[in-house]
Amino acid sequence: MQVSARKIHSIKASATRLSFLLPTIFFFGIAMLIPFFLGIRVAFTDWDGITPLSMANYVGLHNFVSIFHNSDVLRPLRIAIIYALLNTLGNNFFGLLFAVGVTKKYRFNKAHRLIFFMPAALSSVLAAFMWNYIYSNVLPQILGVENYLSNPSSVVAAVSVITIWGGCGVPMLIYIAGLTSVPSSLYESAVIDGANAFQQFWKITIPLIMQSFTVNITITFTNSLSSAGLFLAATHGGPGGASESMGLYIYNFLFKYNKAGYGQALAYLFLAFIVVLAVLISGIFRKREVEM
Amino acid sequence: MKKRIALIAAAALMVLSAMPGCSKPSGTTSETQSKASEQKAVITWMHHVQEESGVQYMKKSTEAFTKKNPNITFELTMVPQDNYPTLLKSKLAAGDAPDMFDVDLDQNPGFIKSGYVYDMSKQPWLHNFITEPPAGPDGKVYAIPTSIAFFGVFYNKDVFKTAGISSTPTTWSEFQQDCSKLKSKGIIPIASGYKDLWTMTCSFHADKMTAIAPNYEDWTKQLEDRKVTWANNPKADMNSVLKRQAYVYDNSQKDPFGTTWDAAQDLVVTGKAAMIINGSWTPGNLETKDSKINVGMFPFPSSEDASKNVFAINGNAKTKANAYYGMGQCVYSKSKNVDAVMKYMAFRATVEDGNLYQQYAKQLSAVKGCSSDFDPSYKEWFDAQKNGLVADIGAFRRDYSGQLDTAYNNTMTNFLMSKDRNAAATLKSLDAQFDKIANLNK
Amino acid sequence: MTNALKWLKKNFMVLLMWVSAIIFILPFYIAFVTSFKTPLESAKSLLSLPTVFHFENYAQALKMSSFFVSLKNSLIFTICSVVLIIVSASMAAYVIARNMKRKRFYAFLEKFFLAAIPVAFEIIMIPVYQLFYQMNLINTLPGAIIAKVGMSIPFALFMFIGFIKTIPVELEEAAYIDGAGKHRTFWTIVFPLLKPAVASLAAAQILWTWNDFSVSLILLQKDSVKTIPLQQFVFFGQYTSNFNLGFAAAIVSMIPIYIFFAAAQKYIVAGMTTGAVKG
């Protein structure tokens, strides 16, 4: 049988393309894909997280149905959304502000850039540690205020401050990369046309760095939604559950309450929710990206 | 080109890092399996003790044992308290469990159902403890205690002297009078580090365990099974407990929920505050901060009847129906080193190890016959024991399980932080939450 | 009056940067001074410089946290992971970005990996442990590296895809006509143009990997393979917290990463600004 040269060529082309995917398939497959599917069947059982999985009972959709009948899940959801909004606003506002600031030419701009980036180099455990000390000892002593971490009405915002302090560094870098890729010739011709600084920023800068927005806003928002680590380290969900984010709520079901089946179901459901949001948000911003 | 070099370098690094353990991974128990057959054993012990004193004890204890049994060595792994349950459960699910670990078996009955814990009921050294390790409903013992834990009020003796308090209070009225005396001298009566939430529960424990527990061994279980309610239970006056705890909160330093346990201890150590309501490990902790401090202790005086002012400790269940397993050191049933571990457990039940515990971990050992003068802070405790002023509250369980625990803690927190302190409404709300969770579990 | 206002208007941004920088560095200042004090000293005064510099805090912190072993582990873990992430993700992003408009498979892949970004580690933690246990990868650095790389690829992919789209296809088509294969084209032409993206992703990923906690916690329990973040907990006990030692250990663990950034700043910045010249 004669296979046409064209067919061979197209198979070769497909193979070459796939070869670019091989490393990714290897790492992602082992670390995420397989475990993800292994974990799904747990959501349909009443597994408690300790006894061997084989001893757990299959309960079908019961876990999922209970979630919708249980109004307790609304508070963690609300906390997660507020937290995500605060962080996204904070990270991106300060990230962009600092990016614009340090890309100006003045003597200490490099030092400032390093300083704004330094908090990002801390692990969340350390950041929680440092800020706990600050909120409970430093601020009350120096400013005479209360410990914001232990007031139910301010705790989520207080934790958000910690996140923004440590989290605006990376968006700042991404914005810097975006800002520096805008050709200076565009600004020069705009100045000639009489545009002021604000107009330049709004009409030239923002559209051309839109892909930085896409990345930063999508990532910050979705990461914050599922956040559990910082809350666990800084407040344990307190006081009185006022900072029990969705991530922490799920974590508790998985590992503290011995209701891993219910926890997995909740986790996968919430994941679906976040994915839908992520696709929507990135879609909005991707459309406004300007391709060169 | 630079990237190619980077790639090769990365690959080389990976190979190098893999080399030491390239044929056998170092984390599995297969190594220990082959070693056990030649009488040599490495016992893996996963714990969550972070305090230097606790870690020191573990070192001394295992070293002393290995001296007597040179073929048995230990591998100690520390995992922070917060992550300990997570990791333990992951390891069990994978079949990679450590030989020794810590679990509260009442909160996690699944460990027994699944057959993960080793049955130590027939071990001869069980009788070496002050109260025998409890046997659960199936009559078996799966965990051994390390220390005696009781709750009470710990105070800075010098501060009491300064305030002119010559004897510790034995009734609630006396306690309130002493608090007033302290306040008039500009001293904070009580240091409460509720930011670390477990300290709040300790304060409640100190109260409930003398006020309610002695005559109501199965109260916790009844509440969880919804056979009784929090509100309007003549046998359990939770209303008064709430009122007393509100008083404690109001007589603590500013912003208890914003103060850490560490900062609260600092207040007592520096003499700014007089008392701290917590557990029997407190003297050791305070002494770690300042070895010169003079600590004393007395039971939380929850009633007007001085004869009821006794320390309360857990013993064995008064009725078979209340048999419980308790919290403590457990052994992995499928461990290949079970014999070696049992030898070590036997050592743990000796006075020698008990004294090591008291000396290094600075807490009371659960072993019978240990030295009673290792720390003058405990004088009042030993005196109370001698004078019969210790109540055995049998199988009284002080914590609630899983979600109920969270609901309880959140409700108590909100009660203390509220302005109107409506005890009746609080108890009603707690009942509603317990009902909801019970229904969810059906 | 107007001169001052004019000066303010001109230097407003710079002033803002100065104020912000001072606020940002304050927590570090506090950590720094506290790390040299004794618990009694820091209890008395929080902001003051230490009267005596207690270097023994650092010595003790280093010893208690097995610093040099965990430093080695952190270095291996971070460097290997980041290099592998960048290589794998850039390759995959290239082929996805160039083909997602024509071929449905690649369009699907783009959405697929986007959906993978928000997957929090807790959801797959137990299956990961079970799987890695079967493969004998527990308590090994390669195992942790594989897990970290796999989990970080979706975000890196997302970033690279966006940047590759800004590179004109004409350059590759020219190389193709000259007879270059896809792989050579990628490494010699496309990858160098990705410098801004590689630079910022590398910077971010090095940080995240250096400070990684969840993956390391589950897969690296033995002291011989623990990374620096895991050793931090030695100082915050359940019943006692020694802030002075803890801050000393924290600062010590930050030093390698800051040295790296101080040294690599030039390279990172150069990488980012090549984009500006491109226009």
Side-chain angles (χ1 to χ4, degrees), chain C residues 97-242:
Chain C
R98 291 293 180 236
N99 290 288
M100 53 190 274
K101 292 229 175 81
R102 305 183 286 127
K103 298 209 177 272
R104 270 184 313 171
F105 175 62
Y106 290 95
F108 162 73
L109 279 186
E110 195 230 356
K111 293 278 180 298
F112 176 75
F113 282 108
L114 178 67
I117 296 177
V119 175
F121 188 59
E122 285 84 35
I123 300 178
I124 54 172
M125 189 150 53
I126 295 184
V128 165
Y129 192 88
Q130 286 172 306
L131 185 65
F132 277 56
Y133 180 70
Q134 306 279 352
M135 300 195 294
N136 276 342
L137 286 174
I138 301 293
N139 276 322
T140 63
L141 282 174
I145 292 171
I146 293 177
K148 189 63 183 166
V149 172
M151 297 219 52
S152 311
I153 281 182
F155 174 67
L157 254 181
F158 183 59
M159 264 203 70
F160 279 132
I161 290 177
F163 270 81
I164 290 181
K165 283 183 169 180
T166 66
I167 297 174
V169 192
E170 292 80 39
L171 294 169
E172 295 150 54
E173 289 171 356
Y176 193 57
I177 290 174
D178 282 349
K182 281 271 188 241
H183 280 269
R184 191 134 66 93
T185 312
F186 175 70
W187 290 112
T188 54
I189 298 183
V190 182
F191 196 80
L193 290 173
L194 285 179
K195 274 213 193 94
V198 170
S200 39
L201 182 71
Q205 200 61 60
I206 287 176
L207 275 187
W208 293 334
T209 311
W210 184 263
N211 289 323
D212 168 77
F213 187 70
S214 348
V215 172
S216 323
L217 177 74
I218 289 292
L219 298 176
L220 302 171
Q221 297 133 36
K222 295 181 67 175
D223 275 335
S224 52
V225 286
K226 267 188 185 167
T227 53
I228 287 181
L230 295 174
Q231 294 284 18
Q232 301 295 341
F233 279 102
V234 180
F235 304 105
F236 331 145
Q238 189 188 6
Y239 303 120
T240 58
S241 294
N242 191 324

Side-chain angles (χ1 to χ4, degrees), chain B residues 2-4 6-7 10 13-14 17-18 25-29 48 50-52 75-81 83 86-87 90-91 93-96 198 260-262 265-266 281 285 289, chain C residues 40 43 64 76 79-80 83-84 87 125-126 129-130 133 136-142 145-146 183 187 191 213 217-218 221-223 226 233-234 236-243 267:
Chain B
K2 275 197 200 139
K3 307 305 157 197
R4 288 280 162 84
L7 232 186
L13 267 172
M14 267 188 81
S17 69
S26 35
T28 63
T29 49
H48 50 76
Q50 291 163 242
E51 285 65 45
E52 180 63 13
E75 192 181 282
L76 300 165
T77 315
M78 192 285 280
V79 176
Q81 169 82 38
N83 310 102
T86 310
L87 201 49
S90 301
K91 288 171 82 80
D96 177 32
W198 63 272
T260 58
W261 161 242
D262 190 70
Q265 290 175 77
D266 280 338
W281 48 79
N285 280 17
K289 282 188 171 284
Chain C
L40 241 60
M64 282 171 76
I76 297 177
I79 296 177
C80 293
V83 168
L84 288 170
V87 166
M125 189 150 53
I126 295 184
Y129 192 88
Q130 286 172 306
Y133 180 70
N136 276 342
L137 286 174
I138 301 293
N139 276 322
T140 63
L141 282 174
I145 292 171
I146 293 177
H183 280 269
W187 290 112
F191 196 80
F213 187 70
L217 177 74
I218 289 292
Q221 297 133 36
K222 295 181 67 175
D223 275 335
K226 267 188 185 167
F233 279 102
V234 180
F236 331 145
Q238 189 188 6
Y239 303 120
T240 58
S241 294
N242 191 324
F243 281 100
Y267 180 70

